[in-house]
């Protein structure tokens, strides 16, 4: 049985664990333009024995301040495409509703394997296509429709698999839209904010979030997000791609293990 991290269990270990998880998640969030949920959720479950759904709620709540700091850090370098981010967010919000509606109707195991296949293709592509730091993300009729589609797909995957948007959005913006790695990451972080706010409000209504844990993780994450974003700006784009490929490999392995466990049930 998981725990809801009630006040009686919120001792020094609980606080230190949440802060430590937040520091790691913030660094990854700033470095890769992701929400950090791939770190927050498994560690909360593993170390604190928190229920999976509650841990997801904590992660979503912590993303709001973390992504905000990340956006500011990337915006300082002019690496946020504001209008594309809002288009992506609109698509993601709608897609998430579609995803939760589809949840009881599709094979999650098959979807997980499909997502592992997608990540494998992305990982290989990251070693072939190195984005230019000068590349932007212009708004044209074609890109608007493409961004809406990407937002919808991202939202659907989030609703079905609980996969954070950055894992999908960042590589697709680089590989298919030709955006620079920095713009892809900054835009991804901005896209997450309205989605995370909407999801957190819903979780609070359903009492599916530990606000104390979310605050601890979020505050700690904010202290390292800017550092991660700064590292992203100084590393060579190819090095950035390699680091991102390693990160995606970890996620792919996690997803494959879930698919294997799901098939055994």
């Amino acid at each position: 049985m998981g725990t809801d991290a009630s006040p009686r269990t919120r001792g020094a270990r609980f606080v230190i664990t949440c802060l430590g998880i937040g520091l790691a998640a913030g660094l990854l969030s700033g470095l890769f333009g992701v929400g950090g949920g791939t770190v927050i959720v498994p560690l909360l479950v593993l170390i604190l024995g928190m229920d999976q759904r509650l841990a997801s709620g904590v992660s979503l709540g912590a993303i709001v301040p973390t992504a905000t700091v990340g956006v500011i850090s990337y915006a300082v370098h002019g690496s946020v495409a504001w209008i594309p981010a809002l288009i992506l967010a609109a698509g993601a919000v709608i897609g998430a509703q579609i995803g939760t509606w589809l949840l009881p109707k599709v094979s999650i195991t098959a979807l997980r394997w499909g997502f592992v296949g997608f990540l494998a293709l992305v990982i290989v592509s990251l070693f072939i296509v190195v984005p230019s730091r000068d590349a932007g993300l212009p708004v044209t009729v074609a890109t608007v429709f493409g961004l809406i589609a990407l937002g919808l797909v991202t939202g659907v995957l989030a609703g079905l698999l609980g996969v954070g948007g950055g894992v999908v959005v960042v590589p697709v913006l680089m590989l298919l839209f030709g955006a620079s790695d920095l713009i892809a990451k900054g835009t991804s972080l901005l896209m997450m904010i309205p989605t995370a706010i909407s999801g957190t409000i819903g979780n609070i209504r359903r009492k599916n979030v530990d606000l104390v844990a979310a605050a601890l993780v979020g505050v700690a994450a904010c202290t390292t997000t800017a550092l991660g974003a700064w590292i992203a700006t100084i590393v060579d784009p190819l090095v950035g791609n390699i680091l991102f490929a390693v990160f995606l490999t970890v996620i792919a392995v996690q997803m494959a293990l879930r698919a294997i466990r799901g098939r055994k049930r």
Side-chain angles (χ1 to χ4, degrees):
M1 293 291 288
T3 177
D4 62 352
S6 62
R8 287 177 297 176
T9 66
R10 288 181 185 147
R13 178 172 176 271
F14 173 82
V15 173
I16 292 171
T17 299
C18 287
L19 292 176
I21 291 171
L23 291 173
L27 186 66
L28 291 174
S29 181
L31 183 58
F32 298 127
V34 298
T38 51
V39 175
I40 296 171
V41 176
L43 289 182
L44 286 176
V45 172
L46 181 66
I47 301 175
L48 293 181
M50 190 176 286
D51 176 76
Q52 180 86 24
R53 291 183 182 275
L54 191 64
S56 296
V58 169
S59 173
L60 200 60
I63 285 171
V64 178
T66 306
T68 301
V69 173
V71 168
I72 294 170
S73 301
Y74 277 97
V76 168
H77 299 281
S79 298
V80 178
W82 301 92
I83 294 176
L86 296 178
I87 295 171
L88 285 167
V93 169
I94 297 170
Q97 300 304 314
I98 297 172
T100 52
W101 175 74
L102 286 173
L103 193 57
K105 307 175 189 294
V106 298
S107 169
I108 298 300
T109 299
L111 272 173
R112 282 173 176 160
W113 281 121
F115 189 67
V116 169
F118 162 77
L119 288 180
L121 287 174
V122 168
I123 290 165
V124 172
S125 299
L126 287 171
F127 288 93
I128 300 172
V129 180
V130 180
S132 167
R133 280 280 159 90
D134 297 324
L137 186 56
V139 178
T140 65
V141 173
T143 57
V144 167
F145 281 107
L147 290 167
I148 292 172
L150 175 57
L152 284 170
V153 170
T154 302
V156 169
L157 287 173
L160 287 171
L161 302 178
V163 178
V167 175
V168 178
V169 169
V170 173
V172 172
L173 287 181
M174 288 193 296
L175 300 174
L176 296 186
F177 287 79
S180 76
D181 57 332
L182 298 183
I183 286 180
K185 292 169 183 177
T187 303
S188 169
L189 287 169
L190 178 57
M191 177 211 74
M192 290 177 201
I193 296 173
T195 311
I197 291 173
S198 173
T200 299
I201 291 172
N203 282 330
I204 291 173
R205 289 174 178 170
R206 291 188 294 270
K207 297 182 179 179
N208 192 41
V209 58
D210 184 326
L211 291 175
V212 173
L216 288 169
V217 173
V219 168
C222 286
T223 65
T224 53
T225 303
L227 173 62
W230 175 73
I231 294 173
T233 63
I234 63 172
V235 298
D236 182 80
L238 176 59
V239 175
N241 273 20
I242 293 171
L243 292 173
F244 193 43
V246 171
F247 176 70
L248 292 181
T249 300
V250 173
I251 295 172
V253 171
Q254 284 183 9
M255 192 64 68
L257 291 174
R258 289 179 194 170
I260 292 169
R261 286 196 294 265
R263 182 174 291 179
K264 289 178 179 179
R265 290 175 184 172

